[in-house]
Amino acid sequence: GWRFALPSAGGWEHDGQRGAGHRPGELIVQRVDGPVAIAIAGGAAWWIAGTAVSPIRRLTDAAESVAATGNLDQPVDRPGGDEVGRRASSFNAMLDALSTSRRQQRQLVMDASHELRTPLASLRTNVDVLRSGREIPADMRQAIVDDIGAEIDELGDLVAELVDLAADVREDEDPAPVE
């Protein structure tokens, strides 16, 4: 068996006797049976494993919460400079990038809707004038038709720009292969 020195309120004990060359306040346990030793070792291992896995559990909980709620404003604590700390920092950087991307997307949609309303309003006005049934001089009619053509071209350009933005294609960059 193993021998442990444990504190005791009544001083040192050894085989039921006090004193016997030991310091006051400790209890000597001469023998720990196999099942007791296994239980003690198992409890210690469980505690150590729980402590070691705790930062990973917090990171997993944060990822699950973001996935469930879509809330990107819940950073993870950075427990240290170890691998888990680096992963937490990377996770937080990813959340920041996603949050920025979401804000930019909202701004793009608002800007695009504004840019699309102007040519649509012009088209609507011109078509209403043509549908009105009023007598329109040929040169004015041709100007309205030309304006409708120009607005259609402008809408086509806006749609092409939106498609490029959605595909993240930049005119000043050549696509690079990803390895």
Side-chain angles (χ1 to χ4, degrees), residues 140-154:
M140 185 180 269
R141 180 178 290 279
Q142 187 58 47
I144 291 173
V145 170
D146 290 344
D147 188 49
I148 289 173
E151 295 297 340
I152 289 172
D153 290 343
E154 184 179 342

Side-chain angles (χ1 to χ4, degrees), residues 78-175:
R78 296 179 184 123
D82 60 356
E83 187 63 28
V84 175
R86 288 181 57 221
R87 288 187 193 276
S89 293
S90 295
F91 185 78
N92 288 338
M94 180 188 66
L95 288 178
D96 287 343
L98 286 171
S99 183
T100 299
S101 177
R102 185 180 279 174
R103 279 193 303 277
Q104 290 172 340
Q105 182 182 28
R106 284 186 188 130
Q107 186 63 45
L108 172 66
V109 169
M110 290 187 328
D111 292 347
S113 69
H114 174 74
E115 290 296 322
L116 291 170
R117 283 186 185 126
T118 303
L120 287 173
S122 178
L123 283 171
R124 186 174 291 121
T125 301
N126 287 332
V127 168
D128 287 346
V129 168
L130 292 175
R131 285 183 178 164
S132 70
R134 290 184 284 159
E135 193 62 36
I136 301 172
D139 60 332
M140 185 180 269
R141 180 178 290 279
Q142 187 58 47
I144 291 173
V145 170
D146 290 344
D147 188 49
I148 289 173
E151 295 297 340
I152 289 172
D153 290 343
E154 184 179 342
L155 283 172
D157 291 344
L158 285 171
V159 169
E161 286 179 36
L162 287 173
V163 169
D164 287 347
L165 285 171
D168 198 24
V169 174
R170 296 182 181 98
E171 292 178 13
D172 60 340
E173 293 182 5
D174 292 330

Side-chain angles (χ1 to χ4, degrees), residues 3-87:
R3 181 180 165 131
F4 292 100
L6 301 173
S8 168
W12 286 82
E13 294 188 16
H14 175 69
D15 291 335
Q17 298 178 5
R18 293 182 188 268
H22 303 290
R23 286 183 270 161
E26 291 188 344
L27 171 68
I28 301 298
V29 177
Q30 285 291 83
R31 181 169 179 211
V32 176
D33 291 332
V36 173
I38 290 171
I40 291 171
W46 180 79
W47 181 79
I48 290 170
T51 301
V53 174
S54 177
I56 296 169
R57 189 175 302 123
R58 283 194 308 271
L59 185 58
T60 301
D61 290 346
E64 289 172 347
S65 176
V66 167
T69 66
N71 181 5
L72 302 176
D73 299 322
Q74 44 186 313
V76 179
D77 294 334
R78 296 179 184 123
D82 60 356
E83 187 63 28
V84 175
R86 288 181 57 221
R87 288 187 193 276

